[in-house]
Amino acid sequence: MDKRLFPTFDICNLNADKNTNELFSVDRFRGYVDSNPHLQQVHNHNYYHLVFFTEGSGEHLIDFEKFEAKAGTMYFMKPGQVHQWYFKERYDGYVVNFSTNFLDWVGINSNLLLEFKFLQSIKVDDHVVTLEEYTQKEVANYFELMIKENQLNDHFSNLKIAFSLMNMFIEINRSLEQENQSHLKSQSLIFNHFQSLIEENFKTKKLPKEYAELLHITPNHLNVLSKEISGISAGEWIRSRIILEAKRLLVNKDVSIKEISYLLNFQDVSYFVKFFKKYTNLTPEQFRKQYYITHS
């Protein structure tokens, strides 16, 4: 099926100040939005998209959840997430976009990105971070360094940009760890692996026991672990990811409910409709109509 669900942009689609390559771009946020009016419609990216909001107010819709846009907040979006901005007043900040292989290209192992929950979690809330005042200043400094190097564009600029990006992630991660010192290291690793497996397999594996088998633990252990760390069951995590993908697909009016049922590997369309309504209190068609009424 060759139908566009909603616009998917790559870095080549962007108009940015001194955009020197197809793997990375950095800019001040207001100029970036003004230069790219097409980004104010609902869309997604095939790259990491980071915004540090420093001025103004509004709302940010990420995967159909609303978050306040306010100074001191940073938004981390991984490839595939759907989002849209709504601004209430003058706004500004910084934005950086980089492809999944940007770090590899400059000689840094991109697997290091797996260390940062705010980049990898499948829980949308984890991608919205309010920074302490000191960390805000540090982050702004890193953005200014990246902008300077992007404009300089000499032999070492991309490497310096990559170092600034990684240093910024480390500073943010450290500040978050200081705020919450309690993390169950071994348990968290298993849980993070569980989330990664959901992302890879949610269309074909819909039961906790299937993921427990991949993790080499019992279904009961997985469920207890999930509730201890996140407050919800393993089954809820799996179902929420299926529902999210269904919502992403439903945004496109040209894709039928039957096609979406097929894409998500449901036995038949009636079962998909029952499943969706059970966990959203709306039929797929009702969700679609409500979405376009709200965003028209």
Side-chain angles (χ1 to χ4, degrees):
M1 183 180 68
D2 186 20
K3 293 181 180 178
R4 297 183 68 184
L5 305 177
F6 30 69
T8 299
F9 299 123
D10 59 31
I11 293 175
C12 296
N13 297 128
L14 302 177
N15 298 312
D17 185 29
K18 287 284 184 181
N19 188 17
T20 58
N21 61 62
E22 299 177 0
L23 303 177
F24 175 88
S25 73
V26 63
D27 209 341
R28 290 179 177 82
F29 189 58
R30 184 170 182 83
Y32 171 85
V33 173
D34 289 347
S35 300
N36 295 278
H38 58 289
L39 297 180
Q40 295 190 49
Q41 61 182 300
V42 63
H43 64 281
N44 70 1
H45 310 275
N46 62 7
Y47 49 83
Y48 287 95
H49 174 66
L50 282 54
V51 174
F52 177 42
F53 206 68
T54 62
E55 179 185 342
S57 65
E59 288 182 343
H60 191 186
L61 184 73
I62 308 175
D63 280 338
F64 311 101
E65 293 188 31
K66 286 184 179 180
F67 297 91
E68 183 182 1
K70 60 181 181 179
T73 305
M74 194 156 180
Y75 308 86
F76 301 86
M77 278 151 281
K78 60 183 178 180
Q81 286 189 293
V82 176
H83 79 122
Q84 187 175 19
W85 292 98
Y86 303 91
F87 301 110
K88 296 179 181 177
E89 57 182 285
R90 181 177 175 83
Y91 55 87
D92 209 351
Y94 299 94
V95 56
V96 63
N97 303 300
F98 64 97
S99 70
T100 52
N101 58 346
F102 171 64
L103 294 179
D104 293 316
W105 182 61
V106 297
I108 301 173
N109 191 333
S110 60
N111 285 334
L112 288 171
L113 297 175
L114 299 175
E115 297 290 327
F116 306 112
K117 183 179 180 181
F118 47 79
L119 284 177
Q120 304 301 334
S121 177
I122 62 174
K123 186 179 179 184
V124 180
D125 287 12
D126 292 333
H127 294 259
V128 179
V129 177
T130 300
L131 302 175
E132 295 293 330
E133 187 173 345
Y134 173 78
T135 309
Q136 290 179 37
K137 293 178 181 177
E138 291 290 301
V139 166
N141 287 337
Y142 283 122
F143 271 108
E144 289 292 342
L145 285 170
M146 287 188 283
I147 289 172
K148 179 181 177 181
E149 286 298 330
N150 201 45
Q151 293 172 339
L152 181 62
N153 190 28
D154 71 9
H155 181 67
F156 292 106
S157 288
N158 286 317
L159 188 59
K160 287 196 70 175
I161 286 168
F163 285 150
S164 294
L165 196 62
M166 293 304 297
N167 282 330
M168 183 173 73
F169 291 161
I170 291 168
E171 289 298 324
I172 293 169
N173 199 65
R174 284 176 174 172
S175 71
L176 293 175
E177 286 182 347
Q178 288 171 4
E179 291 173 20
N180 181 15
Q181 291 294 332
S182 62
H183 47 255
L184 312 167
K185 289 187 178 178
S186 61
Q187 299 289 69
S188 292
L189 286 173
I190 296 172
F191 183 69
N192 290 342
H193 191 195
F194 169 54
Q195 289 190 311
S196 297
L197 288 172
I198 292 175
E199 193 66 29
E200 295 169 9
N201 300 284
F202 70 89
K203 292 180 182 178
T204 56
K205 299 184 187 298
K206 296 180 169 63
L207 299 175
K209 67 179 182 180
E210 296 176 289
Y211 291 92
E213 185 176 347
L214 292 174
L215 292 164
H216 306 292
I217 59 176
T218 66
N220 184 59
H221 182 184
L222 175 59
N223 205 42
V224 169
L225 174 65
S226 180
K227 286 184 176 179
E228 283 183 352
I229 292 178
S230 69
I232 64 175
S233 69
E236 287 177 271
W237 275 109
I238 300 164
R239 290 190 293 271
S240 67
R241 183 62 184 89
I242 297 167
I243 292 293
L244 172 58
E245 194 68 15
K247 288 179 177 179
R248 288 177 174 178
L249 293 167
L250 285 164
V251 167
N252 184 3
K253 295 177 182 178
D254 296 328
V255 184
S256 70
I257 306 300
K258 184 176 181 180
E259 287 175 304
I260 293 172
S261 173
Y262 172 79
L263 287 169
L264 295 177
N265 283 291
F266 281 86
Q267 294 175 349
D268 56 64
V269 67
S270 62
Y271 181 56
F272 166 65
V273 172
K274 289 176 183 177
F275 175 87
F276 190 89
K277 185 173 183 180
K278 181 178 180 180
Y279 297 108
T280 67
N281 294 318
L282 296 169
T283 66
E285 193 60 42
Q286 286 170 335
F287 171 82
R288 176 176 276 168
K289 288 179 180 178
Q290 184 184 82
Y291 176 84
Y292 279 100
I293 289 171
T294 304
H295 295 85
S296 60

